[in-house]
Amino acid sequence: MKAIRRFTVRPVLPDSLRPLHDLARNLRWSWHTETQELFRSVDPEGWRPEDADPVRLLGSVSASRLAELARDEEFLGRLGEAADELDRYLTGDRWYQNQLAQGGQLPSSIAYFSPEFGVTAALPQYSGGLGILAGDHLKAASDLGVPLVGVGLLYRHGYFRQSLSRDGWQQETYPVLDPNELPVTLLREHDGTPARVVLALPGGRSLHACVWKAQVGRVPLLMLDSDVEENAPGERDVTDRLYGGGSDHRLLQEMLLGIGGVRAVRTWCRLTGAPAPEVFHTNEGHAGFLGLERIRELTGAGQAPGQPVGGALDFDSALEIVRAGAVFTTHTPVPAGIDRFDRQLVARHFGDDGELPGVPVDRVLALGEETYEGGTPGIFNMAVMGLRLAQRANGVSTLHGAVSREMFSGLWPGFDPAEVPITSVTNGVHAPTWVAPEVLSLGARQVGEDRARDALAGGEVATGSGADRTGTPRRWDAVSAIPDREIWDLRRVLREQLVTEVRKRLYASWRRRGAGTAELGWIDGVLDPDVLTIGFARRVPSYKRLTLMLRDKDRLTRLLLHPTHPIQIVVAGKAHPADDGGKRLIQELVRFADDARVRHRIVFLPDYGMAMAQKLYPGCDVWLNNPLRPLEACGTSGMKAALNGSLNLSVRDGWWDEWFEPDFGWAIPTADGSAVDDERRDELEADALYALIEDRVAPRFYDRGEHGLPERWIEMVRRTLAALGPKLLAGRMVREYVERLYAPAAVSRRALDAPAARDLAAWKSKVRAAWPQVAVDHVETVTDTAASGSAELGATLALRVRIALGGLAPEDLEVQVVAGRVDSGDALVDAQTTPLKVTGTGDLADHRIYEGPLSLDRTGPYGYTVRVLPSHPLLASGAELGLVALPDATVGEEEGGPVLR
């Protein structure tokens, strides 16, 4: 018989054990080894590292065991120390507080919205890199003391659990998650009733959601859950699973995340007294509707607490305030990775019959329109809306920033992609989460355990001391003093642990595939702790090329079975449930790995997740990444591997493109930009991959010196840890967000009270209306050196330009000369801009004369042009409005363009 209702009966903790409750409910335990060890000692048999969960552990431990622990003085002492240490962590000043004390203009609070968060395997609310990055962002913010509040959804089925059929086809299951068995607490009103967020739906329906809170160190994570009794069955399922359902389902999820998320934050602030966020960070376009809710708050339909703007505002003025305090991060380098909805579907959910009454539907739709060349009419683009609702935007690596500027350049017509106002902050990873305890112990022997742990967390940066001028922790240099033997012995221990983990998971996978015990004796010989081990684990879209390694199966087989330089490969990854192409790639690899000739050297492990990753990264000698360049936005799995002493073997994409050095691994040559088709490109790059392994990677691993150690390999491990490691920290990443995006956004937001917002909106409207009449009328060079079409290096040209103002004032404009080398098509390359000064009115009404010098500081073909941009002290960049006036074909340089010799 089945139970008709399920619930958990929890034991009552004795008073002396009450601190266990606080330790279990704060997810800091997931990256704090001592707290994990404390819970392991509560029930050594019940604590399973692969899915460790203190809340579940305390819910199942016997009353007799609790009574025993309550009398155990040694345990109580450890418990007291852990509780005191957590209190110090939560209340002590960190880097952020030190910056404030030094006069830093930092936001009082930041709201960070993401559709998924990968904090711990005990809270499975993630599918891949976006969620893991978001989880690491929260943890690093906690370590730094950044006053962040995370906002997401609580999915009752999470993503999915992956298994394989007998013939290697991916199968999905969706286990039901009971929030009462998760490390979350329900947000309640002061009278004890659950707090509710409500959205209006078409046809008079409503979408209700409760709010669950997970505590991530110092950072609260608010997650909305639509599975409440007030909802009809369809609405109860809105938060059923991550990235599930059709367009209407996804739209409701994203409305709940964005609009409902803002309302959840307001409720949280009201109930706790927490400061209202000054900055709102949208992590990818899924949460973009949050900007619309903030506009609604400011236009009189629902003034928000903590938003004293001096009365209701019109839409345009409210938009300026919203944009000033918003940051948007894009994570995709391909248009297909962006959520796009039918325009009519969006229209049906807004306006007087849906959400945001009083906010004009046409203004909502205009924010997501693809109005640029190549855009699709009738489509509502969530990333486009995110960019239009945020004054500051970024990609997640230097290369991805460049790709994003190119991809979204249509929103800023007239500007070269390099000038599109999208910057980049390269992702980082939370080292205390991803670095194996054995690696930490090795460092601790050099600098002490507390200092080693502090360095992994970015501690010198977190406390504001002991770092060089770039913020790089000096303690990482201690790696240089670790003896070769200790590094190599550690690498073997980690490899051996991985071998054990792989055999256990492989056995379980084959049992689920239908194999009997008698068939599986061969698994005891899978992998060898003394063989070069390569890891490859990630989601399985086609561009990540899971099966590139199978391009020449015979050649791969020879590599796996090489008599003196063998390799072994561990592969894992999930395909989206609707992606049959990705599933076929997995099946192809599984079938190869099932071959009795090679199955001891290559394995596919199903159900890739955080628990598996924490064993996989440390145990691999080499981390493989071979996407189609430049389609990998960042690729943080290679960072996690590197922090454990693994060397990267990767296409120069994402973070590897900017930080690759031969000391840290190998770059796989690519054929991007070549005139070859996809098949030929895969063939060329697979051949390059095989050659690298054959000729450089494997020989270096097996090249042993007089003491039996691969000294050159060990030196690469040492350099990876000491020189690359500090760059990869999520603490570095969050600090960059604070200094380069959050702090400027807070300053901009504070500058916009109601009158200033109205003035800025009116000024923009005036400039847009006048812009067609703004023109560069005349350009001349006041010098003799350019008459011959050439000039000498170091010379200075005096420029004189006449500008038609179009009814605007001179202070509304900035006139610039843009100069640099020119290519064969006369396009400016590596251009630099210099402002010109207004010097007179000229002979024509509504015109001004601008003059200034142009220094000729480079040799070779050289050129310049003149342009006019809008200018206002509250603009983040001259490109913000997407307006630029350039000389037309009839406005030439009177004396000809100089050529430098």
Side-chain angles (χ1 to χ4, degrees):
M1 291 183 291
K2 285 191 174 182
I4 62 171
R5 186 181 177 196
R6 169 182 170 149
F7 52 90
T8 299
V9 179
R10 300 191 185 282
V12 177
L13 293 176
D15 287 343
S16 60
L17 299 182
R18 290 291 173 87
L20 283 173
H21 179 272
D22 294 333
L23 290 169
R25 289 287 173 179
N26 193 311
L27 295 179
R28 193 206 179 203
W29 64 259
S30 66
W31 72 91
H32 193 251
T33 305
E34 286 84 351
T35 307
Q36 293 174 23
E37 291 301 320
L38 181 73
F39 281 111
R40 185 195 304 274
S41 65
V42 169
D43 185 1
E45 297 299 322
W47 180 266
R48 297 177 301 180
E50 63 271 14
D51 58 356
D53 182 353
V55 171
R56 185 172 296 157
L57 181 79
L58 293 180
S60 61
V61 69
S62 68
S64 60
R65 175 57 178 161
L66 291 176
E68 180 184 346
L69 290 172
R71 299 188 299 269
D72 186 335
E73 293 298 329
E74 189 272 338
F75 179 84
L76 293 177
R78 291 170 59 203
L79 175 59
E81 290 175 4
D84 290 345
E85 200 281 331
L86 177 62
D87 181 69
R88 289 192 296 272
Y89 175 84
L90 296 177
T91 60
D93 286 350
R94 311 290 291 174
W95 169 80
Y96 199 86
Q97 289 68 42
N98 290 333
Q99 297 303 301
L100 285 170
Q102 296 169 19
Q105 296 296 304
L106 304 179
S108 58
S109 176
I110 304 107
Y112 179 87
F113 287 65
S114 179
E116 52 177 300
F117 286 91
V119 179
T120 167
L123 189 62
Q125 300 293 306
Y126 62 93
S127 71
L130 178 68
I132 300 300
L133 179 278
D136 283 7
H137 195 108
L138 299 194
K139 295 173 190 176
S142 175
D143 291 340
L144 292 170
V146 179
L148 205 73
V149 53
V151 185
L153 301 179
L154 183 75
Y155 305 96
R156 288 299 182 103
H157 296 278
Y159 192 38
F160 68 88
R161 301 298 300 270
Q162 179 196 45
S163 60
L164 300 173
S165 69
R166 185 73 191 218
D167 66 350
W169 188 256
Q170 172 179 293
Q171 298 178 315
E172 302 94 25
T173 56
Y174 291 88
V176 177
L177 301 173
D178 181 356
N180 294 294
E181 296 180 351
L182 298 175
V184 296
T185 55
L186 190 63
L187 185 63
R188 296 182 179 275
E189 296 288 347
H190 293 304
D191 63 3
T193 59
R196 287 287 190 264
V197 167
V198 185
L199 272 66
L201 301 181
R205 297 174 297 129
S206 296
L207 173 60
H208 299 258
C210 62
V211 182
W212 297 92
K213 178 183 74 74
Q215 192 65 37
V216 186
R218 300 165 70 117
V219 173
L221 169 57
L222 308 179
M223 295 177 288
L224 289 86
D225 174 13
S226 69
D227 189 10
V228 296
E229 293 181 356
E230 295 91 330
N231 282 331
E235 282 72 52
R236 290 190 75 149
D237 287 341
V238 166
T239 55
D240 59 348
R241 59 186 62 174
L242 181 58
Y243 302 140
S247 292
D248 189 67
H249 187 80
R250 289 286 293 276
L251 179 62
L252 288 175
Q253 283 191 340
E254 298 188 6
M255 289 176 62
L256 183 60
L257 173 60
I259 298 170
V262 173
R263 295 174 187 175
V265 170
R266 302 304 186 200
T267 302
W268 163 257
C269 294
R270 172 175 59 82
L271 293 174
T272 64
E278 292 186 277
V279 174
F280 287 76
H281 184 173
T282 307
N283 190 40
E284 197 45 90
H286 309 282
F289 289 123
L290 74 88
L292 298 180
E293 169 64 5
R294 294 177 60 216
I295 289 174
R296 183 197 66 83
E297 292 177 333
L298 298 170
T299 54
Q303 186 101 349
Q307 303 291 317
V309 295
L313 297 172
D314 62 278
F315 183 95
D316 288 325
S317 302
L319 175 61
E320 294 306 327
I321 288 178
V322 167
R323 292 187 71 254
V327 174
F328 176 75
T329 298
T330 174
H331 289 263
T332 179
V334 290
I338 297 170
D339 275 344
R340 300 160 82 230
F341 297 104
D342 181 86
R343 189 176 188 272
Q344 295 307 313
L345 175 63
V346 176
R348 194 159 61 242
H349 282 82
F350 289 94
D352 294 335
D353 189 40
E355 256 305 329
L356 310 184
V359 178
V361 175
D362 62 326
R363 300 302 303 271
V364 172
L365 296 175
L367 288 168
E369 283 183 333
E370 296 181 351
T371 53
Y372 41 84
E373 183 179 353
T376 303
I379 289 296
F380 188 92
N381 186 309
M382 294 296 289
V384 166
M385 178 178 66
L387 289 166
R388 286 177 172 151
L389 284 171
Q391 195 175 44
R392 290 165 177 84
N394 69 284
V396 291
S397 69
T398 300
L399 178 60
H400 179 237
V403 170
S404 299
R405 288 188 288 274
E406 184 76 44
M407 185 165 69
F408 293 111
S409 61
L411 295 174
W412 290 271
F415 290 89
D416 291 338
E419 294 184 295
V420 167
I422 300 175
T423 185
S424 63
V425 175
T426 302
N427 284 343
V429 297
H430 188 246
T433 296
W434 300 108
V435 171
E438 294 82 1
V439 176
L440 174 63
S441 296
L442 183 64
R445 292 201 290 272
Q446 296 297 313
V447 298
E449 186 168 340
D450 289 343
R451 297 181 71 198
R453 189 185 307 282
D454 205 35
L456 284 182
E460 298 95 329
V461 174
T463 58
S465 63
D468 66 21
R469 62 183 179 84
T470 67
T472 300
R474 294 193 188 106
R475 293 169 190 168
W476 289 77
D477 291 341
V479 174
S480 61
I482 300 175
D484 285 3
R485 172 59 66 183
E486 291 189 26
I487 291 176
W488 189 242
D489 287 348
L490 171 65
R491 291 301 314 152
R492 192 188 189 284
V493 166
L494 296 174
R495 205 179 305 116
E496 192 167 33
Q497 290 179 357
L498 176 61
V499 169
T500 301
E501 182 78 5
V502 165
R503 291 173 181 174
K504 179 178 70 174
R505 289 180 177 272
L506 192 62
Y507 182 86
S509 174
W510 271 102
R511 291 288 287 161
R512 284 191 291 269
R513 292 174 71 181
T517 303
E519 300 177 67
L520 301 179
W522 60 273
I523 288 179
D524 291 338
V526 167
L527 304 190
D528 182 331
D530 292 311
V531 167
L532 171 62
T533 305
I534 298 175
F536 182 101
R538 50 191 39 85
R539 290 184 303 110
V540 191
S542 59
Y543 77 86
K544 291 182 182 285
R545 297 193 293 186
L546 171 74
T547 56
L548 186 70
M549 65 181 75
L550 302 183
R551 187 76 188 185
D552 185 338
K553 293 183 176 68
D554 290 337
R555 192 170 180 185
L556 176 59
T557 299
R558 291 195 296 273
L559 284 169
L560 294 168
L561 304 179
H562 195 283
T564 59
H565 296 163
I567 67 169
Q568 55 195 13
I569 306 176
V570 182
V571 184
K574 293 180 177 180
H576 188 279
D579 181 11
D580 282 351
K583 293 179 185 181
R584 280 191 289 272
L585 296 178
I586 290 175
Q587 185 179 48
E588 181 184 357
L589 193 138
V590 170
R591 286 177 171 175
F592 178 82
D594 285 351
D595 188 324
R597 295 177 302 161
V598 296
R599 63 188 182 186
H600 64 300
R601 285 282 190 258
I602 182 169
V603 298
F604 180 87
L605 300 181
D607 209 29
Y608 178 50
M610 291 186 72
M612 182 193 296
Q614 286 171 321
K615 289 290 186 182
L616 186 55
Y617 298 134
C620 291
D621 300 293
V622 172
W623 195 257
L624 174 63
N625 189 25
N626 46 229
L628 282 168
R629 188 181 189 274
L631 302 185
E632 183 84 275
C634 185
T636 55
S637 62
M639 294 180 169
K640 301 177 187 103
L643 285 172
N644 285 283
S646 178
L647 308 181
N648 274 265
L649 171 61
S650 176
V651 165
R652 289 194 62 166
D653 202 358
W655 73 273
W656 190 238
D657 183 68
E658 64 192 274
W659 287 332
F660 163 74
E661 290 183 17
D663 287 346
F664 308 150
W666 299 268
I668 302 171
T670 60
D672 58 301
S674 304
V676 296
D677 60 24
D678 291 345
E679 282 291 309
R680 178 59 177 160
R681 177 174 178 174
D682 283 355
E683 181 181 340
L684 290 171
E685 295 184 11
D687 185 70
L689 170 61
Y690 296 136
L692 273 173
I693 296 173
E694 290 170 341
D695 301 335
R696 298 175 61 186
V697 181
R700 180 159 297 190
F701 180 86
Y702 291 104
D703 179 18
R704 307 299 161 89
E706 59 179 323
H707 301 293
L709 300 176
E711 295 166 356
R712 292 194 301 164
W713 186 280
I714 293 170
E715 185 56 30
M716 290 180 72
V717 172
R718 183 181 283 109
R719 290 289 300 161
T720 293
L721 290 171
L724 180 59
K727 297 179 182 180
L728 307 180
L729 300 180
R732 183 271 312 156
M733 172 191 71
V734 171
R735 218 176 82 135
E736 284 193 42
Y737 272 108
V738 170
E739 295 172 340
R740 296 174 49 202
L741 295 170
Y742 297 163
V747 171
S748 294
R749 171 62 188 86
R750 291 167 186 169
L752 280 179
D753 56 11
R758 293 188 182 100
D759 288 346
L760 179 59
W763 178 84
K764 286 187 175 181
S765 179
K766 176 185 71 173
V767 169
R768 289 189 178 105
W771 202 256
Q773 284 73 51
V774 175
V776 180
D777 265 5
H778 180 76
V779 180
E780 64 181 41
T781 304
V782 188
T783 180
D784 295 332
T785 60
S788 63
S790 64
E792 293 181 353
L793 180 66
T796 298
L797 304 183
L799 299 181
R800 192 168 188 268
V801 181
R802 187 174 67 224
I803 302 296
L805 303 183
L808 299 175
E811 57 267 25
D812 294 329
L813 306 172
E814 179 171 321
V815 179
Q816 300 174 339
V817 57
V818 185
R821 293 192 178 91
V822 292
D823 62 17
S824 57
D826 286 339
L828 291 169
V829 180
D830 297 328
Q832 297 177 340
T833 61
T834 305
L836 302 178
K837 295 182 178 180
V838 62
T839 59
T841 60
D843 299 330
L844 301 175
D846 197 33
H847 285 64
R848 292 293 186 275
I849 302 300
Y850 289 77
E851 296 181 336
L854 173 60
S855 299
L856 306 180
D857 58 355
R858 280 175 280 184
T859 58
Y862 194 86
Y864 69 86
T865 188
V866 175
R867 69 180 181 184
V868 187
L869 305 178
S871 178
H872 192 284
L874 293 178
L875 297 183
S877 80
E880 185 171 319
L881 272 68
L883 300 175
V884 59
L886 296 165
D888 62 29
T890 64
V891 179
E893 157 53 56
E894 285 190 344
E895 297 180 348
V899 177
L900 302 193
R901 304 192 184 283

